[in-house]
Amino acid sequence: DNFIWMTERGGRICRVNPKTGQVLPLLTLPDVVANGEGGLLGMALHPDFGNSPFVYVVYNYGSPYREKVVRYEYRNNALSSPRILLDDIPAAGIHNGSRLLISPDRKLFITTGDASSSGNAQASGSLSGKVLRLNLDGSIPADNPYPDNPAWSTGHRNPQGLVYANGILYASEHGAGIEDEVNIIEKQRNYGWPTVEGPCNGGEAVFCTANNIKEPIWSTGNSTFALCGLDYYNSDRIPQWKHSLLLLSLKNTTLYQLKLSADGKSVTGTKNYFTGEFGRLRDLCISPAGRVYICTDENNGKLIEISKPE
């Protein structure tokens, strides 16, 4: 609708006019609990929003601390009729994942972090440390890899970026002290955490071979940048960014351009932008006209528009 839809950790959902900066509140969720890094964290709008005006959100709540995915309806400039699609996901003051994405075949993907319990990323009975996949009504798709289980992939530490492009689902993920990653998410694949960080090397090779590990297409090596928001750019407005992943970092306060190969399955080059200019960079979105909007993770936070080549 030519507005930016925005969540805030305290529970507020707003529409932002990108031309004027006007913030139009829609709803403050009543049961959000924002402990540590937790709170209201992710949102996705139905791709056919005009006919199916559904808004999907994921947030932390309750005691013991948990996470849930809820669908709202948008009517008359308000959100109403909440429906819980999935709840009792483990949560913590750190590592809650919480990116939502609706794929072209109308499946809802949900990233979950390990919720400060790294072993759960490999545990088939836990919803932690996974990429989950649901039908848009909250039911489990019949073609999910594990019967009656929303898990699509396993072995994740804390994925906080998610985008679908080139027929590929890409995710960015926080490493511990090294090896932040960008991964291609595939059905029933294992991404290694906590045994494997980044590419399979050294003593990790045996575990990788035994567990069908999918290695990242890009990682930060022996450091951590705190990778976060992720999107795909393919507009003529900023020509040098065409066919690239745009990736933000919190710790390194940088936008990274990851130029993709023709098939989108590997990174052929990188370039850094805005390092230190705006502080911690949390998430980004791209308008139909090719403008890029970045939100910062600062106090006070900002929305920044990039609309011209450098």
Side-chain angles (χ1 to χ4, degrees):
D1 60 1
N2 292 317
F3 280 72
I4 296 169
W5 287 62
M6 180 177 71
T7 61
E8 296 173 71
R9 281 201 311 115
R12 190 169 73 149
I13 302 172
C14 301
R15 294 163 70 240
V16 181
N17 186 331
K19 293 184 178 180
T20 66
Q22 183 184 20
V23 178
L24 303 168
L26 292 172
L27 178 68
T28 297
L29 301 180
D31 58 337
V32 168
V33 178
N35 291 342
E37 298 172 0
L40 172 56
L41 298 174
M43 177 171 59
L45 274 59
H46 193 288
D48 185 19
F49 197 69
N51 295 312
S52 301
F54 296 122
V55 178
Y56 299 79
V57 293
V58 59
Y59 62 90
N60 301 131
Y61 69 102
S63 179
Y65 206 39
R66 291 160 291 163
E67 186 166 283
K68 61 183 171 181
V69 180
V70 182
R71 188 190 76 183
Y72 279 83
E73 292 187 43
Y74 176 66
R75 300 189 187 280
N76 301 317
N77 294 313
L79 293 173
S80 61
S81 305
R83 176 178 173 179
I84 297 171
L85 303 186
L86 182 65
D87 60 3
D88 286 326
I89 303 168
I94 58 173
H95 302 181
N96 294 305
S98 304
R99 293 283 77 80
L100 299 182
L101 180 144
I102 299 174
S103 59
D105 62 350
R106 300 297 194 263
K107 303 300 181 192
L108 177 64
F109 286 88
I110 306 144
T111 71
T112 66
D114 67 14
S116 195
S117 183
S118 61
N120 283 338
Q122 295 293 330
S124 60
S126 174
L127 295 176
S128 293
K130 308 293 191 293
V131 175
L132 309 177
R133 179 177 181 259
L134 297 175
N135 293 315
L136 296 186
D137 62 1
S139 61
I140 297 173
D143 60 343
N144 268 21
Y146 312 101
D148 300 316
N149 190 326
W152 185 252
S153 63
T154 62
H156 298 283
R157 182 176 181 269
N158 191 19
Q160 290 192 339
L162 196 63
V163 66
Y164 188 93
N166 311 304
I168 294 168
L169 183 61
Y170 302 92
S172 61
E173 182 163 342
H174 290 265
I178 60 172
E179 301 286 15
D180 292 354
E181 303 175 357
V182 175
N183 289 299
I184 290 176
I185 303 300
E186 295 177 353
K187 180 179 181 178
Q188 207 169 350
R189 295 303 294 271
N190 190 327
Y191 292 80
W193 177 255
T195 303
V196 180
E197 296 184 79
C200 295
N201 48 40
E204 299 169 338
V206 172
F207 185 91
C208 287
T209 301
N211 292 277
N212 193 29
I213 300 300
K214 175 75 173 176
E215 297 185 75
I217 61 169
W218 186 79
S219 74
T220 60
N222 291 322
S223 59
T224 179
F225 299 170
L227 299 179
C228 203
L230 179 71
D231 213 329
Y232 174 72
Y233 196 87
N234 205 33
S235 171
D236 291 327
R237 177 177 287 274
I238 305 177
Q240 65 263 45
W241 285 358
K242 285 200 72 170
H243 192 49
S244 296
L245 294 173
L246 300 182
L247 175 64
L248 299 180
S249 70
L250 297 163
K251 180 180 177 181
N252 277 25
T253 65
T254 297
L255 182 150
Y256 302 92
Q257 176 198 7
L258 308 184
K259 185 72 173 178
L260 294 171
S261 60
D263 64 4
K265 294 181 179 179
S266 61
V267 174
T268 61
T270 67
K271 191 169 182 180
N272 299 354
Y273 295 85
F274 312 123
T275 301
E277 287 189 38
F278 306 117
R280 292 162 56 87
L281 306 181
R282 169 62 64 179
D283 204 1
L284 76 163
C285 64
I286 298 166
S287 78
R291 294 180 172 90
V292 177
Y293 295 91
I294 294 172
C295 70
T296 70
D297 191 304
E298 295 286 341
N299 193 8
N300 292 314
K302 294 182 174 67
L303 284 174
I304 298 152
E305 178 189 286
I306 297 106
S307 59
K308 295 179 181 178
E310 63 174 349

